[in-house]
Amino acid sequence: SLNYSVETVQLLLNQRKAIEMFYNAALRHRAERPTDDVVFLIVPSSEVRIMTSFGIDIWTPLDEALFDTTYNDGSNGNEEHIDQSSGTEEHGYCSSPDTEVKQNILPVMMITDSSGRAGMQSSRYYMCSKDIFSSSPPLAFDDGGAMGAFIDRFFNGTIGKPFIRSETQLPTSRTTFEQNSEQNFNDPNVTILTGNTFESLVMDRNDEHTMLLMQATSCGHCKRFSIFWNELSSLVQAMNWSSTINVMRIDVTKNDVPHNMINAWDLPSVYYFPANEKNDPIEMTPLSRRTNPQNDYDEGLSWVSSGYDMVHWMINQGKLDLELLLQLDGSPLKDAKSVTVTDEEGEMTNS
């Protein structure tokens, strides 16, 4: 007996169609992959809090419509806008360009992959509303239609790269160089990473060492540790090591760290990415509990009391070229009497 507008009626019909398609895709998956552990879940909510938790952005198209602005790269906040292999928006927010603001955002399908990533961040893949209701789906509706094909691409490895949550600043009138300088660095010359810049600033710089602090703006321990982190950066700069050692930080509440070996649950956390070994980062932990029994009771990075502690820790990992560091510091090798290293047993050795 309720009178709905034509748009509302169409939206309700689309939602019902999407649920039926999702159900058919689940039945087909169970029949074809009975041993794969998959949970199919429908979230019948359009509350902003719920959608934000699932990574669905309703604010970008509204902001662009209200302020008549778009991001510099035209991607609504992500550098890699379109996944050419699937035709979907790779950033996963499924927000519409300003020319199509009236397009419905919901329904959205998301695949969350936590397989083989115990304690790590899950990978997420999105299928947007316009792709769900494609006019030429790869599969019949009874087989799950576009949703069934999306699941197939995930399991056969052709779905493309996962969504990477990443901060993006709104464009300004400043030049690109000025924007990058302000966005990537803070006062103590600590590079600020985002989910999108992790690959280029960490992984692609294979011949450089990287120290990465993972933090959260609301974390009190992180704010205290930032004092020591800035001191580490100042030491690297003072000793002229910045050409071989990069000191960086990332806010994991706003950015994903796209690396399978990174655990971003305990904050603050520090990972060392050695040169030429970027796939095997080392989490910073006390050198040896035998040297200081108090370390048995310390949690996380509470054992760090200065930037010098972290320099000492890096040297003891055995990944740095000490002769190169001495040369960069301007110290003649003949005047370098010894370098103190603590082995795994807590014994002091000189070289």
Side-chain angles (χ1 to χ4, degrees):
S1 61
L2 297 176
N3 293 323
Y4 292 113
S5 65
V6 176
E7 292 80 5
T8 301
V9 171
Q10 187 60 47
L11 176 61
L12 293 174
L13 291 175
N14 284 344
Q15 290 178 350
R16 181 174 179 177
K17 180 180 178 181
I19 292 175
E20 293 178 358
M21 186 189 304
F22 190 68
Y23 179 76
N24 292 338
L27 291 179
R28 178 173 176 270
H29 169 79
R30 179 176 295 180
E32 296 189 356
R33 308 179 188 92
T35 61
D36 288 314
D37 185 14
V38 176
V39 176
F40 287 82
L41 178 67
I42 296 176
V43 182
S45 176
S46 59
E47 293 185 13
V48 173
R49 177 177 57 86
I50 301 299
M51 291 197 292
T52 301
S53 299
F54 285 93
I56 301 173
D57 174 26
I58 71 169
W59 300 114
T60 296
L62 294 177
D63 288 344
E64 292 179 350
L66 180 61
F67 298 107
D68 192 27
T69 60
T70 56
Y71 291 97
N72 285 337
D73 55 8
S75 65
N76 291 329
N78 191 291
E79 294 174 356
E80 299 179 4
H81 182 47
I82 300 298
D83 178 2
Q84 300 296 339
S85 64
S86 63
T88 61
E89 296 183 1
E90 189 173 302
H91 56 74
Y93 280 141
C94 295
S95 56
S96 308
D98 58 347
T99 57
E100 302 177 6
V101 170
K102 293 183 180 180
Q103 178 182 329
N104 293 319
I105 295 177
L106 296 178
V108 172
M109 180 179 178
M110 178 180 72
I111 296 178
T112 301
D113 179 22
S114 299
S115 59
R117 299 172 61 86
M120 308 295 179
Q121 294 175 326
S122 298
S123 298
R124 290 179 289 172
Y125 305 84
Y126 288 82
M127 172 172 254
C128 302
S129 178
K130 62 182 178 59
D131 299 309
I132 290 176
F133 300 114
S134 172
S135 59
S136 56
L139 296 176
F141 183 84
D142 290 342
D143 290 328
M147 290 184 176
F150 187 59
I151 296 173
D152 288 346
R153 289 201 301 273
F154 171 77
F155 281 97
N156 62 28
T158 61
I159 197 171
K161 295 181 179 180
F163 156 74
I164 298 176
R165 186 172 43 131
S166 182
E167 289 182 278
T168 302
Q169 294 184 345
L170 286 173
T172 67
S173 59
R174 294 187 302 273
T175 64
T176 301
F177 175 79
E178 291 171 335
Q179 291 176 16
N180 291 338
S181 297
E182 181 174 334
Q183 183 174 357
N184 290 338
F185 294 92
N186 62 2
D187 290 339
N189 292 317
V190 176
T191 304
I192 307 299
L193 288 184
T194 66
N196 287 336
T197 60
F198 176 85
E199 191 75 21
S200 60
L201 296 182
V202 177
M203 303 303 293
D204 290 347
R205 296 182 177 182
N206 198 41
D207 57 344
E208 300 175 8
H209 301 267
T210 300
M211 288 287 282
L212 176 61
L213 167 64
M214 294 186 296
Q215 61 176 18
T217 53
S218 60
C219 168
H221 293 296
C222 298
K223 294 178 181 177
R224 173 183 175 273
F225 189 81
S226 291
I227 299 174
F228 307 136
W229 196 249
N230 293 341
E231 183 180 356
L232 170 64
S233 179
S234 297
L235 287 172
V236 170
Q237 294 290 324
M239 292 184 286
N240 198 31
W241 292 353
S242 55
S243 62
T244 188
I245 299 177
N246 299 311
V247 181
M248 306 184 177
R249 72 173 73 200
I250 187 170
D251 184 349
V252 296
T253 63
K254 301 177 181 178
N255 302 275
D256 288 336
V257 182
H259 197 296
N260 290 337
M261 301 299 293
I262 296 299
N263 185 339
W265 289 99
D266 298 324
L267 300 177
S269 292
V270 171
Y271 279 84
Y272 170 36
F273 294 80
N276 302 311
E277 299 179 25
K278 294 299 181 74
N279 291 325
D280 298 303
I282 305 170
E283 184 176 8
M284 193 168 74
T285 57
L287 290 172
S288 174
R289 299 192 183 277
R290 295 186 184 183
T291 59
N292 184 2
Q294 180 63 37
N295 288 334
D296 290 331
Y297 304 97
D298 286 345
E299 295 182 358
L301 299 173
S302 59
W303 58 275
V304 177
S305 60
S306 71
Y308 291 95
D309 289 339
M310 289 180 278
V311 172
H312 184 206
W313 181 88
M314 286 188 70
I315 292 174
N316 277 272
Q317 302 311 304
K319 307 294 184 178
L320 294 171
D321 185 340
L322 300 183
E323 292 187 2
L324 174 61
L325 294 182
L326 290 172
Q327 290 175 353
L328 292 174
D329 186 29
S331 302
L333 293 179
K334 63 181 180 180
D335 294 336
K337 295 182 180 179
S338 65
V339 176
T340 303
V341 178
T342 307
D343 62 20
E344 294 180 355
E345 300 299 324
E347 299 295 335
M348 307 299 290
T349 60
N350 293 328
S351 60

